[in-house]
Amino acid sequence: MSLVYAGALSHAPGITGRAHLCENTARRDEFLAALDRQRQDIEDSGAEALIVVAAEHFANFFMNNMPAYCIGIGDTYEGPIEDPEWLRIERTKIPGAPDLATRLTREIMQTVDVAYAEEWKFDHGIMVPLNFLTPKYDLPIIPVNINCQGPPLTPLHRAWVFGEALRRACDSVPEKLALVATGGVSHWPATPDSGKINETWDRQFLGQLTRLEKDKLLSYSDEETYAQAGQGGFEIRTYIAAAVAAGGQGHLQFYTAELPIFAVGVTVMKFDIDTAA
Ligand SMILES: [Fe+2]
């Protein structure tokens, strides 16, 4: 068993950038405590590297050449690409795991035509999670991107297959690995609806995710997701891939729609790892 931890968390830039403006400090602090538990769980797992399945936002990949899936095989990365003062995260270097990431890529390629990149500037989609999960930036990171921004987007059943490929790849190496998905459920970033949250939709999706209900999870059309959960809802692909990679019961450790200043229903999840998978 080389996958020793799997989870998911939100990555909205307001989580760091606007935390000081949050009025509901009690709820915010509960969220921060859940993130710290997740950090501790990853630390306790003995993971030697952290795979971050993210959905980046036109920081590295553009419409001139958009990979559906990409894995980072670089020595080091830098982030955030955004203004550090706006995000309230200092720009820093983050260690990669080139040899390990290349071995994972070779295995994933057996079933998924994954792209790979030696250069990658981390945006808030990775930096906000790392700010809480590896605050000293001392754990090697393997970034993975699923295009959730520029349609046509990879179908959800392919995100499922990608999750299976990720798991097979993790099982093929001797290193202990942690994996987190970062994304959002319903949210409308950078639109007039920013701050809107569809809690009913979020809880329905997250419930199905905890139970890994394949038929239901794969039944969401992009049109329905856009109508109910905004363009930010397309990021459910990262959560699905992580849940499939883990293969076990999911646990919704924290969710609230009561922090609209973060512009997303903030979520912290852990997935049991099905060792029989
Ligand atoms: Fe995002």
Side-chain angles (χ1 to χ4, degrees):
M1 182 180 75
S2 58
L3 189 62
V4 292
Y5 177 86
L9 73 165
S10 303
H11 69 218
I15 293 170
T16 52
R18 292 193 291 274
H20 60 298
L21 301 174
C22 187
E23 288 174 1
N24 192 342
T25 53
R27 212 73 178 108
R28 179 198 65 193
D29 291 348
E30 280 176 47
F31 172 46
L32 296 179
L35 289 173
D36 199 55
R37 249 191 340 267
Q38 190 168 49
R39 176 196 61 73
Q40 191 68 56
D41 283 349
I42 291 171
E43 210 174 298
D44 293 347
S45 75
E48 297 162 75
L50 174 64
I51 300 169
V52 182
V53 183
E56 71 116 57
H57 314 79
F58 298 121
N60 300 271
F61 310 116
F62 304 97
M63 296 309 282
N64 63 339
N65 189 358
M66 178 63 80
Y69 302 94
C70 187
I71 184 162
I73 58 171
D75 284 320
T76 58
Y77 304 99
E78 192 182 277
I81 195 167
E82 296 95 340
D83 177 5
E85 279 179 36
W86 173 74
L87 195 58
R88 293 187 166 238
I89 297 177
E90 263 180 56
R91 192 160 288 149
T92 189
K93 275 208 178 342
I94 300 106
D99 176 66
L100 171 59
T102 302
R103 281 181 278 129
L104 294 174
T105 302
R106 284 185 199 281
E107 176 55 39
I108 291 169
M109 277 179 173
Q110 298 298 319
T111 51
V112 176
D113 297 321
V114 66
Y116 50 89
E118 292 183 348
E119 296 172 22
W120 197 313
K121 295 261 179 9
F122 290 174
D123 73 2
H124 68 272
I126 292 181
M127 290 308 290
V128 169
L130 294 188
N131 175 70
F132 296 104
L133 301 182
T134 64
K136 295 181 190 152
Y137 302 104
D138 51 358
L139 188 63
I141 302 300
I142 300 174
V144 173
N145 196 66
I146 302 179
N147 169 29
C148 300
Q149 296 293 323
L153 306 177
T154 186
L156 297 183
H157 67 88
R158 294 298 295 165
W160 189 282
V161 169
F162 185 68
E164 292 174 335
L166 260 178
R167 175 57 185 272
R168 271 199 308 276
C170 291
D171 286 344
S172 74
V173 298
E175 288 91 342
K176 291 181 176 178
L177 298 172
L179 181 155
V180 290
T182 94
V185 266
S186 70
H187 61 306
W188 285 256
T191 75
D193 285 328
S194 181
K196 185 171 135 185
I197 293 164
N198 185 343
E199 181 172 358
T200 306
W201 190 93
D202 288 354
R203 289 195 182 277
Q204 175 188 284
F205 170 77
L206 293 170
Q208 292 163 352
L209 193 68
T210 60
R211 298 182 293 274
L212 207 54
E213 293 175 344
K214 185 172 184 179
D215 290 349
K216 288 181 180 157
L217 289 168
L218 300 190
S219 72
Y220 290 83
S221 69
D222 283 348
E223 291 74 19
E224 182 200 355
T225 298
Y226 186 73
Q228 296 294 318
Q231 88 280 18
F234 295 149
E235 293 179 350
I236 57 172
R237 286 163 173 77
T238 68
Y239 284 14
I240 289 174
V244 170
Q249 173 77 35
H251 306 276
L252 186 56
Q253 296 176 304
F254 187 85
Y255 172 85
T256 186
E258 294 170 28
L259 297 169
I261 195 164
F262 293 164
V264 68
V266 288
T267 307
V268 180
M269 293 186 79
K270 181 177 182 176
F271 303 105
D272 293 340
I273 293 163
D274 178 6
T275 52

